[in-house]
Amino acid sequence: MADVSAIHVNLGARSYAIRFNGLARCAAAMEQAGLSPGRCVVVTDDNVAPLYARTLTGALQERGWNPHWITCPAGEQTKSLDHLSALWAEILALGIDRKTPILALGGGVVGDLAGFAAASLLRGVPLVQVPTSLIAQVDSAIGGKTGINHATGKNLIGALHQPKLVFADPAVLQTLPVREWTSGLAEVVKHAMIASPSFFQFLHKHWARILDRDAEIVPEMVARAAQIKAKVVAEDETEQGRRAILNFGHTFGHAIEREAGYGAFTHGEAVTLGIRAALYLSAHLYPDADFGAALALANALPVHPDPAQLDVPTLTQ
């Protein structure tokens, strides 16, 4: 596969690009996306801010942007009504207008929370996703799903709000903790399993190098996984049919997250267990089909907590 610098998500008037470049190029890409320099809001978390705030601030200011930074606590618990309400209040106090973009700099939690804020403030302001985790670069930052969790279940309060731009720098993935890297690989594996035998073979062939975050392999892997997500979203933006395939492993996975308590398992670890469960169920429903290769790759994804602690009757419910 040739080097990919941009992938286009074709949604008519809501189309946008996923651009792969160094973080310092983000501001220029925002202008390419039709956003005019001025005030903007950057939402991030306290893990990401120390790593990339200076670089992004410099890039924005150099192009005439005036960024206001809001730093949230890292972790799944931040996807809550309390944190959303605090975010609304701080952003509204700035006196924003409908042209003020919100940048989500971080992983899936920041992208979902800041994205929902962008969807709901003033009935919708521009959103720029700047994903810094693997799971966000290949999955959650693409497709417009935003939201928060509820005691009843994960992601049950939210809105579909497509970004104006997704700007991903694969180099930042080198700073991820090992557990966050391997968790993100769950979504990569999911994309291969649902849509691309050739990508599945690529993962099998290069798995050791992928686990080691080989800089020659990672950009291609990220781009190929993101391309699959973009294609499915373009075919079915509002999940009336085909887009549901992206939930492979997630029905089980979301139940695991809720039962264990959000944050006990990472989202990717829960999805990994969900993929294994879905394949196990499939093997029972279709005993003549060969799920061996799929199960081998799913089992190669590490899960750190012991799932035996989970209560099966509650999961079933």
Side-chain angles (χ1 to χ4, degrees), residues 36-264:
S36 300
R39 182 170 46 189
C40 65
V41 178
V42 185
V43 180
T44 189
D45 69 34
D46 50 19
N47 285 341
V48 174
L51 295 171
Y52 303 117
R54 179 178 294 182
T55 300
L56 186 55
T57 295
L60 290 167
Q61 290 178 339
E62 186 177 342
R63 306 287 297 200
W65 290 94
N66 178 23
H68 175 85
W69 284 78
I70 300 175
T71 302
C72 302
E76 189 73 24
Q77 293 83 355
T78 296
K79 279 178 58 172
S80 69
L81 184 57
D82 286 345
H83 284 287
L84 177 65
S85 183
L87 195 58
W88 280 333
E90 185 166 349
I91 295 173
L92 288 172
L94 299 173
I96 64 165
D97 60 36
R98 287 185 177 173
K99 294 183 179 179
T100 305
I102 293 177
L103 283 67
L105 175 70
V109 169
V110 167
D112 282 357
L113 180 71
F116 190 28
S120 50
L121 286 165
L122 307 184
R123 298 186 176 90
V125 299
L127 172 65
V128 177
Q129 292 278 10
V130 190
T132 61
S133 72
L134 178 58
I135 207 164
Q137 289 194 6
V138 303
D139 188 70
S140 62
I142 305 164
K145 283 188 175 181
T146 71
I148 59 174
N149 299 329
H150 187 269
T152 306
K154 186 177 171 74
N155 295 333
L156 293 183
I157 302 172
L160 199 65
H161 186 62
Q162 298 295 347
K164 292 291 185 183
L165 168 71
V166 177
F167 189 88
D169 179 358
V172 307
L173 302 177
Q174 298 296 332
T175 65
L176 288 178
V178 172
R179 189 178 176 194
E180 290 300 317
W181 174 253
T182 56
S183 294
L185 289 174
E187 297 288 359
V188 174
V189 167
K190 178 200 76 176
H191 287 170
M193 287 185 179
I194 64 174
S196 178
S198 64
F199 187 38
F200 184 84
Q201 291 303 318
F202 172 90
L203 297 179
H204 258 294
K205 179 179 179 181
H206 299 294
W207 192 247
R209 295 175 68 186
I210 288 167
L211 287 177
D212 287 340
R213 283 182 256 193
D214 187 319
E216 292 184 1
I217 292 289
V218 168
E220 179 177 352
M221 181 194 76
V222 170
R224 290 181 71 166
Q227 204 160 37
I228 290 168
K229 176 70 179 278
K231 185 175 185 295
V232 173
V233 168
E235 292 172 357
D236 180 20
E237 180 184 6
T238 59
E239 203 173 290
Q240 301 303 305
R242 177 163 172 73
R243 184 168 175 169
I245 200 171
L246 293 169
N247 293 327
F248 174 52
H250 285 60
T251 304
F252 291 105
H254 285 172
I256 289 165
E257 285 185 277
R258 181 187 167 193
E259 165 60 14
Y262 296 123

